[in-house]
Amino acid sequence: NIDVVPITISDKKLQNLQSHLMLFFTGFQRNASEIEEKKIKQIKKKKASLELMHNMVDEAIKVLNKEGDISGFGKLLHENWKLKKTLSGDVSTDIIDDIYDTAMNNGAIGGKILGAGRGGFVIFFVKPEDQERLKIALSNLLYVPFCFDTAGSQIIFYSKSGV
């Protein structure tokens, strides 16, 4: 079962979290369905890792709701990344691992690949004062500034006629 439970944190804390996140495009495209299919075949063998990942959610909410430093969130991302890599050998590649190691050696506290793995986007938790150093270290990747959106999914329609 999948339960959707809203997470309530203040706008100030949400902005603080966003100010610590950096998103990069790896330049690699992949077939997410193939990767996920392999993970699903292994799901019974990976139950312990999946339970640990699930339990990190409550811990992350606690970190975000407490006063002060939220670096613990970055550390949780790092732990989550290590667990995600155990789900399938297709989650990461040597190049993705090099990207991650470069980030960790240049200010990132943690991070993870988004989606199925093996390409697409990576996100890193980085203190604002270390972000320029990380941008330089990962200058071969596309840095993608982003903002959280609270409006949810929207349909956008474009027409040359303006209608």
Side-chain angles (χ1 to χ4, degrees), residues 30 32 35-36 39 84 90-92 113-120:
R30 75 283 185 241
I35 298 168
E36 290 301 329
K39 285 185 204 174
K84 185 172 184 170
D90 285 336
V91 168
S92 193
I113 201 157
L114 301 179
R118 208 173 68 209

Side-chain angles (χ1 to χ4, degrees), residues 93-146:
T93 66
D94 290 342
I95 295 171
I96 299 294
D97 288 342
D98 286 344
I99 290 168
Y100 191 88
D101 291 343
T102 298
M104 294 299 285
N105 290 326
N106 286 280
I109 295 170
K112 63 183 302 246
I113 201 157
L114 301 179
R118 208 173 68 209
F121 291 86
V122 289
I123 195 162
F124 295 105
F125 184 96
V126 188
K127 290 182 179 178
E129 61 267 23
D130 293 325
Q131 292 183 3
E132 192 58 36
R133 178 169 51 130
L134 184 58
K135 276 189 208 175
I136 292 167
L138 295 179
S139 61
N140 58 321
L141 302 180
L142 176 64
Y143 169 64
V144 183
F146 73 97

Side-chain angles (χ1 to χ4, degrees), residues 56-67:
M56 286 180 179
V57 174
D58 290 333
E59 195 171 338
I61 293 168
K62 287 177 189 173
V63 168
L64 293 176
N65 279 315
K66 73 176 186 175
E67 293 300 318

Side-chain angles (χ1 to χ4, degrees), residues 33-82:
S33 297
E34 290 174 8
I35 298 168
E36 290 301 329
E37 188 176 317
K38 290 178 182 178
K39 285 185 204 174
I40 289 168
K41 287 179 182 176
Q42 300 278 339
I43 205 161
K44 288 182 181 178
K45 295 178 186 175
K46 304 298 180 176
K47 189 172 181 175
S49 293
L50 291 166
E51 285 179 1
L52 285 169
M53 293 169 81
H54 181 265
N55 292 338
M56 286 180 179
V57 174
D58 290 333
E59 195 171 338
I61 293 168
K62 287 177 189 173
V63 168
L64 293 176
N65 279 315
K66 73 176 186 175
E67 293 300 318
D69 186 29
I70 62 168
S71 295
F73 190 88
K75 293 172 185 170
L76 286 169
L77 278 178
H78 178 68
E79 293 304 313
N80 183 276
W81 170 239
K82 291 191 304 187

